[in-house]
Structure formats: C-alpha cells, structure tokens
Amino acid sequence: MPAEAALTTRIEFVVELARRLHEYGTAAPRLEDAINHVAARLGLDCNILSTPTSIVMSFSDRQRPGSLADVTQVVRLSPGEVNLERLCEVDEIADRVIDGQVDLVEGRRRLRDIGALRPSLPANLLLVAAYGVASACVAIILRTAWPAVATAGLIGLATGAIALGAASRPNIAAAFEAICALLATLVATAIAVYLVPIDVRAVVIASLIVLLPGLSLTTAVRELSSQHLISGTARMAGAMAILLKLAFGAVAATQLGALFGWMPPPMPAASVPVWAEWAAVVAAGLAFAAMFRSPGRYYPVVIAAVVLGYVCTRVGGIFVSAPFGVFLGGLMLGAASNVFARVWKRPGALLREPGIILLVPGSVGFRTLSFVLERDVMLGLDTAVTLLTLLIALVAGLLFGDLLVPPRRKL
C-alpha cells in the first residue's frame, strides 16, 4: 500500500507532484487542495503554501503524531504555463499511485520524465500557427474589416515566432511583451498609413490577445476571494507588470509613429459579415486548444467550451448587461467543467481554461493602462472600473458554477 512506504519515498512523490502541477499552470487553491488530498491518501499530514514562484511544504507522518513537522521542503519555481496534455498525464499518474496500480518510486520517475519532455518541432510550429489564427479570429470577433483581420493574423504569427525565441533567451524574455506590443503597433500603423485603412487599436488588441494577462488577472482575483492572499497578490502584481510592458510598448510605438509623421486615416465603416463572427469563435476554440496544448482527443470538447462561454456572454450581454453576460458564461463553464471532470475523470481545467479566454477582460486592462500612459486619466479610471466589474463577474460565475455542480476532483 502507498501509505505503508518509507516516509522519504512518500514525500519525494508528493513534492514532485506539486512541482509538476505548478509547472503546468495549476492555481494555488486547486494545487494546495490536490496535494493535501494526495498526501492524506499516502498517510501524510501536509501543510502547503503555493505562490506563483515557489512552493513551501512541511510533512509529518500520521503514524507518528506530533506538534512539529518531520520534513520541510522549499521549492523555487518559475511561474507556470498551462499545458493541459501534461496536466492530464500528471493527474493520471497520481490516480494510479493512490489506487496502488503504480508504486511511489515508479510514479515519481514518470513525473520526472514528464518534466524532462520538450516540445517537438511540429508542436512548436503548431503553436506559432495558433498565435496567428487566434489573433485573426479575435479581429473578426471585434468586427473589423478583412484587411485588419489579415494584419492581425500576420502580427500574431510574428508574435508566436518571437515567443519561441524568447523561451530560450532570458534577455529577450524579460522584454518580450514590450517588444511584441511595439512591433504590433508599428506594423499596424504602417499598414494603415501606406497600404489600406484599418482600425489600428482593434488590430493591436487582437494581435496581442495571447499575451494579455486576462487569465492571470482572473486567477488572481479568484485566489484573493478564496483567502489565498499571498498567491493572489503576487499573481496580480505579475499580471499588472505584463500589462505595463504591453501598454508601454504600444504607447512608445505610437510616439515613434508620430515622430515619423504616420497619421492613420479614418477607420473604414465596413466590417466582416455576421456569419464570420461565429466561424471565428469555432476557429478560435481550435487555436486555444493548440495553444494550451490540449490532448488531441479532447479538441471537440475544448471547442464546444469556447463556443458555450461566448454564446452565454453574448446572450447575457444582449438581454441584461455585459457583466451579467460574463457572469453567465463563467457560471456555465464552471458547471460544465465539473460535469466533464465527473464523467470523463479528467481535470476540469481542460474545459475551464480555454473556455474563459474570450471572457477574461485582459484587453480592458490593456486599454486602461494605455489611456493612463496617454494622460487620459479619467477615461483610464472609467475603463478600470469596467475591468474590475468584469473580473468580479467572471470570478463570481466560476464560484457559483462550483456550487451548482460541486467538483469531484481538485484540478
């Protein structure tokens, strides 16, 4: 039985499991609950504190009750990125170890093997393509014209290529968001001036949609609402830093354009047809599935989740208000992800993470800081209130979704 193994062996498995869950983007409340559950099944008392850059765990053996911990582990980590395929593999290994189908030593070895895997060239090329498709789809959803859609897709491809380069170059990674925002704004402005009139602001937002930290902002508010104050505060600060870099890059590019005498002409009145919007939502779901590296067999479910969230948001926004639409989308996605976890016995994050991308207000935060940096403070404050309202509505929807359908598993 796993609970009868040596104390060190059990602790090593739990620490490796926590490391992998953090690496693949698990939020603090879910990570801590999952680790506490696994530790209890292995006969351990565990006190865990998870933050975006570290995990602190103290362990004691339940067979030797006492007031002090036997072992304390401090693990320093980089902020995790969502990788749904790896998360499913980690979740399956944990289940098999707890059920006794795999021993602890073999389970830890498999977890380490998963951590050592690196994306293949086809996977990286698919990721770059997903950046371009997602940017083009968001431009369609924003009801821009076809030239703007093509421009956003082109800039999205360039952003994906820069992202791959930044992954192995720390000096580029530190300024990655500012570089992409600068490039996106310059390219969009140049095309609007010299080639064809386009909505520059909409193109910039669409091309940077993958970099906007709306998901981080939502996770931060959810962590704060569940009293995970250290993790929530740190994640909020990290998201704000990314927004500042994006806003600075865009404003700097605007000033450079003004220096060159680039003044975009009036925006065209024409926009894409209505049918293109719904086709774009489906294509965006496919792109998000690839970006979050979802297992291929779950692509249809991920696409359905994206469509569900968007439909609920649109319907609620039309008949009530935009915040209620976001709340309704979060509610339905939260409940649907828990139903999925119960039926398929896989992490609900497979639906929840990609599904809320079109709901999270990252673009609103970007516009807020852009207005402030352009010294339009009052408009920036008004947009900031909108950002806060949408964040609260989305988090409330996700929490009510958990009440409507209680999660069977912590992930």
Side-chain angles (χ1 to χ4, degrees):
M1 293 293 291
E4 297 174 356
L7 176 63
T8 303
T9 303
R10 285 178 281 162
I11 291 175
E12 287 176 345
F13 174 79
V14 174
V15 171
E16 193 65 32
L17 176 62
R19 186 191 300 270
R20 296 296 155 237
L21 292 178
H22 186 284
E23 181 180 354
Y24 301 135
T26 307
R30 295 182 181 276
L31 188 150
E32 293 179 7
D33 288 344
I35 292 300
N36 285 330
H37 172 72
V38 172
R41 295 291 299 270
L42 297 179
L44 296 171
D45 284 323
C46 177
N47 289 311
I48 178 171
L49 172 64
S50 174
T51 74
T53 56
S54 64
I55 305 175
V56 181
M57 292 167 283
S58 62
F59 299 93
S60 58
D61 195 336
R62 287 189 169 184
Q63 297 177 359
R64 295 179 299 176
S67 58
L68 299 178
D70 295 317
V71 177
T72 298
Q73 288 285 315
V74 180
V75 184
R76 179 69 169 84
L77 298 162
S78 299
E81 295 184 358
V82 178
N83 187 322
L84 297 177
E85 183 175 12
R86 299 284 179 261
L87 185 63
C88 287
E89 293 173 357
V90 170
D91 181 65
E92 184 176 359
I93 291 172
D95 283 347
R96 291 191 175 188
V97 168
I98 290 174
D99 294 339
Q101 300 176 17
V102 176
D103 63 59
L104 290 167
V105 175
E106 175 64 15
R108 181 170 180 262
R109 185 193 65 78
R110 293 185 184 183
L111 290 174
R112 293 176 67 89
D113 288 345
I114 290 175
L117 293 174
R118 293 295 176 264
S120 62
L121 178 60
N124 285 333
L125 293 177
L126 179 62
L127 181 64
V128 173
Y131 270 73
V133 172
S135 298
C137 290
V138 172
I140 293 175
I141 292 171
L142 293 176
R143 303 303 300 275
T144 60
W146 287 116
V149 173
T151 303
L154 178 65
I155 299 174
L157 289 174
T159 301
I162 297 173
L164 285 183
S168 58
R169 294 173 176 82
N171 57 330
I172 297 179
F176 167 60
E177 293 85 0
I179 293 172
C180 291
L182 181 72
L183 176 66
T185 307
L186 284 176
V187 171
T189 304
I191 289 177
V193 171
Y194 293 109
L195 294 181
V196 59
I198 59 174
D199 186 345
V200 174
R201 187 178 292 275
V203 168
V204 171
I205 291 175
S207 59
L208 298 177
I209 189 66
V210 179
L211 306 184
L212 295 174
L215 189 58
S216 295
L217 287 170
T218 304
T219 303
V221 173
R222 187 166 189 178
E223 289 174 342
L224 290 171
S225 67
S226 59
Q227 299 301 304
H228 290 75
L229 303 181
I230 296 177
S231 180
T233 303
R235 200 178 302 275
M236 180 71 74
M240 294 303 297
I242 293 174
L243 281 175
L244 282 171
K245 288 190 282 186
L246 289 170
F248 173 79
V251 172
T254 302
Q255 296 300 320
L256 283 175
L259 183 64
F260 297 151
W262 292 353
M263 296 298 295
M267 293 180 294
S271 62
V272 297
V274 176
W275 63 263
E277 177 182 357
W278 295 104
V281 173
V282 175
L286 181 62
F288 294 149
M291 286 167 48
F292 286 120
R293 303 188 188 276
S294 174
R297 63 185 181 278
Y298 293 120
Y299 269 37
V301 182
V302 172
I303 294 172
V306 173
V307 173
L308 173 65
Y310 187 75
V311 168
C312 291
T313 302
R314 285 295 303 273
V315 170
I318 291 173
F319 291 100
V320 184
S321 66
F324 178 80
V326 172
F327 168 80
L328 181 62
L331 172 68
M332 296 304 295
L333 283 172
S337 64
N338 292 338
V339 171
F340 172 83
R342 286 176 172 271
V343 175
W344 274 274
K345 304 186 187 308
R346 291 275 71 86
L350 276 167
L351 271 69
R352 187 175 55 251
E353 304 297 337
I356 66 173
I357 287 298
L358 293 180
L359 280 65
V360 294
S363 61
V364 180
F366 174 73
R367 290 201 299 269
T368 298
L369 292 179
S370 296
F371 290 140
V372 172
L373 290 177
E374 292 170 359
R375 301 198 175 188
D376 195 341
V377 179
M378 296 308 298
L379 185 57
L381 290 176
D382 182 69
T383 314
V385 173
T386 303
L387 168 66
L388 184 60
T389 303
L390 295 177
L391 277 174
I392 294 174
L394 178 55
V395 172
L398 293 171
L399 293 175
F400 274 81
D402 286 345
L403 289 177
L404 185 63
V405 181
R408 185 191 69 86
R409 41 202 317 119
K410 299 302 181 181
L411 301 178

